[in-house]
Amino acid sequence: MEEEQKKKRGPVFAAIAVLAVLLGIGSYVGYHAMQPRGYQDYTIQKMQYFVEYSEQFAYWDVLTIEYPCLSGIEGEQIEPINKIFYDVAFDKVNYWHLYPDEEVKALQEEYHIFSSDVLCSVPYHSQYLASVHFEEIYAPVSPVYYVHKTERAANVDLTTGEEYKLSDVIQIDDAFVEFWCEQIDKSGEYDDLAFDDKEPREAFAVWFLGKDEKLDEYYMFNPFFYIDENKDLVIGISCDPKPSIVGGYMPSDDSFSVRIEYGALEPYRIDSEFWDLYEKSESTGEVLECEDLKENLWLGKDAGVWDMWKE
């Protein structure tokens, strides 16, 4: 009798085992079907907004603003993504020129010319992520004495349109800022600053955290990051002047940034969807250069702003 029951149970156990395997396969397929598939064939075309002496304002203006435009992706997220790219490219031009607040309007009475040149690069683009880096030289009031160089970035999820700021992917605290200052110091990019001293580290800590109430009256502190072509992260902060402090007799570089290898950032990473997408990402898509990129002459023929900066 017992032997007969064992024989009956055998097919039942086998059926259960097969069912379990099928359920496991179904769950695996279902899970991966729900994951974003990403995009392979898309294009990011660099474009340029160009204005030279528009006569729209009481002062002259020269604007050469390069920005990326995404196409080849189906979905409602494409319009918000392109808006992010455009708005980040125009960040300082909007602030100092096109959409001034009352404080900037008062300064504009002293403007002779507002000049700005923005260059963009797309160092990393995958089936999930696009990372754009912007560098800008701009000059409120005068393109000779009041010249500032700054940078910023935009990182977007191509599947949803979500933008990732530095605080969305990194825990910005004293430990991270100390680590960042160590990387800056090792890079040798800013030998004129003592990043190994306590005072600069404390200053950068409050700048990254946005807690310097005293200097907030004079500067805008903007942390940023982008992914470079080696899939490392470049992390920095721009300390851009407000109208109450803008000026100077020498060109001023208002940004500090350093390349950091992905593995070194593990202790400071936030639990974010960004890192899942980053780890699965492989370079794809196509970036096209601007077909008719005009040089911001700044001070006349053969006097491009970037050449002037190098001098």
Side-chain angles (χ1 to χ4, degrees):
M1 184 69 175
E2 183 177 346
E3 186 67 28
E4 187 176 343
Q5 287 178 343
K6 287 182 178 179
K7 289 180 179 179
K8 290 181 179 178
R9 286 199 296 265
V12 174
F13 289 149
I16 292 173
V18 171
L19 181 61
V21 171
L22 291 174
L23 287 173
I25 293 173
S27 299
Y28 177 84
V29 172
Y31 171 79
H32 285 274
M34 291 188 296
Q35 299 304 299
R37 296 177 61 185
Y39 301 96
Q40 299 292 332
D41 300 320
Y42 63 86
T43 299
I44 298 177
Q45 172 71 63
K46 293 184 185 180
M47 307 179 74
Q48 188 183 58
Y49 176 91
F50 173 72
V51 169
E52 188 174 64
Y53 310 131
S54 65
E55 298 184 355
Q56 183 179 349
F57 305 93
Y59 51 87
W60 285 348
D61 56 338
V62 179
L63 309 176
T64 40
I65 315 300
E66 190 180 27
Y67 63 94
C69 186
L70 173 68
S71 63
I73 287 179
E74 295 181 359
E76 60 184 14
Q77 73 273 24
I78 191 167
E79 186 174 342
I81 288 174
N82 281 328
K83 186 177 187 306
I84 289 169
F85 291 160
Y86 190 87
D87 288 347
V88 176
F90 274 77
D91 180 69
K92 291 294 173 285
V93 172
N94 286 337
Y95 179 83
W96 289 105
H97 180 54
L98 298 178
Y99 303 105
D101 61 17
E102 293 304 315
E103 194 174 11
V104 174
K105 286 180 180 178
L107 184 65
Q108 283 179 336
E109 295 179 4
E110 303 177 29
Y111 279 19
H112 300 293
I113 178 174
F114 178 83
S115 190
S116 174
D117 188 273
V118 176
L119 298 178
C120 81
S121 63
V122 190
Y124 190 77
H125 42 95
S126 74
Q127 70 273 44
Y128 302 116
L129 299 169
S131 188
V132 184
H133 177 221
F134 298 90
E135 293 181 282
E136 178 177 16
I137 298 179
Y138 66 96
V141 186
S142 166
V144 178
Y145 301 115
Y146 296 172
V147 182
H148 296 271
K149 180 177 179 291
T150 187
E151 58 183 314
R152 50 194 176 273
N155 304 276
V156 298
D157 180 344
L158 297 177
T159 67
T160 65
E162 180 178 358
E163 182 182 10
Y164 293 101
K165 305 286 190 181
L166 182 62
S167 58
D168 296 323
V169 302
I170 293 293
Q171 179 65 47
I172 302 177
D173 54 19
D174 290 341
F176 167 73
V177 175
E178 182 174 357
F179 165 76
W180 180 83
C181 285
E182 290 173 355
Q183 302 306 304
I184 284 273
D185 197 40
K186 289 178 182 177
S187 74
E189 292 289 327
Y190 306 94
D191 287 340
D192 55 332
L193 294 176
F195 281 89
D196 56 341
D197 289 347
K198 180 180 178 182
E199 186 174 345
R201 292 192 183 196
E202 289 179 345
F204 275 105
V206 294
W207 294 352
F208 266 103
L209 295 169
K211 293 183 177 180
D212 197 327
E213 296 180 1
K214 183 177 181 181
L215 286 182
D216 278 348
E217 181 180 351
Y218 305 104
Y219 294 95
M220 295 172 279
F221 299 103
N222 301 301
F224 64 88
F225 82 98
Y226 61 91
I227 309 169
D228 72 6
E229 60 276 3
N230 298 314
K231 210 177 175 182
D232 293 323
L233 267 65
V234 177
I235 299 178
I237 185 169
S238 291
C239 311
D240 302 309
K242 290 183 177 180
S244 55
I245 198 69
V246 69
Y249 294 97
M250 295 292 290
S252 173
D253 191 337
D254 303 320
S255 296
F256 307 88
S257 64
V258 64
R259 182 185 66 84
I260 302 176
E261 293 182 359
Y262 164 68
L265 288 168
E266 187 173 357
Y268 313 101
R269 285 167 40 182
I270 288 175
D271 185 14
S272 167
E273 179 69 17
F274 169 84
W275 294 113
D276 296 332
L277 298 174
Y278 172 91
E279 289 171 356
K280 294 185 293 186
S281 283
E282 297 178 357
S283 183
T284 188
E286 183 180 20
V287 177
L288 302 178
E289 296 300 321
C290 183
E291 296 176 356
D292 186 24
L293 190 67
K294 294 181 173 60
E295 183 181 16
N296 192 312
L297 295 180
W298 207 260
L299 297 175
K301 186 179 179 181
D302 300 324
V305 59
W306 293 95
D307 293 331
M308 184 201 75
W309 189 271
K310 293 174 184 177
E311 292 174 2

